[in-house]
Amino acid sequence: MKIFAETKKRFKLSMIIVILVASVISPAISNAYEYYGWWNDPYKMIPGISSGTYIVDTIDNYNYNGKVFMFQTAWNSAMDEWNNRTEANIQNSINVSGPERIRMRGENYGNVGLQGWVTVYKNNVVVGDGDATPLPVTSGWDYAIATLNAHSLRDYTYPQYRAVGIHELGHALGLNHETDGTPSIMNDKLYPPNSYLVPQQDDINGINNLY
Ligand SMILES: [Zn+2]
């Protein structure tokens, strides 16, 4: 009987330890998203992301060596992903008026080793690049140019290059790369067919907690 009581006591104690440890670890797991700048004062889109417009500065039926890209449709759809899933509300300038916050491009930029990238500006001056090294983001921004590179996307399907567009817009809205393995469209080490195709819960939390 004594042994049983002791086992029970030990079990209770170990359960308390498990709960304590879990409560310490879980915030890190549920908040894995990364921002630019300082953890307690991250850089972001200075005017916020709940207004403003974007311009799609590319076309559908873009032909690169016989591969046809639907760049315009992909960019519109990529922005919809963030507008529909997060607090973001940046609309196509064709439909609403307002200050331009994001310009989206898509064409052949050659063998530069990047499927896409985004450059951020403050008062018309470049303050960083979300993908191309070595241009770290050094301040908040009020404007972003997001790019898709036909050359490096030539073997990508529509959902796959659309996902690169979603990734670049994630940068434009404030997310840095996700590096700890949490499911995220901001992971920059996963390539098709292993990359994510839509924003994941951690990405959605990351945007909504930033603004
Ligand atoms: Zn990136």
Side-chain angles (χ1 to χ4, degrees), residues 130-131 167-168 171 177 186 188:
D131 274 303
H167 173 103
E168 302 311 334
H171 286 313
H177 287 138
M186 302 314 294
D188 68 331

Side-chain angles (χ1 to χ4, degrees), residues 2 14 21 96 132 183 203 211:
K2 198 175 171 239
S14 61
V21 169
V96 299
D203 305 317
Y211 294 92

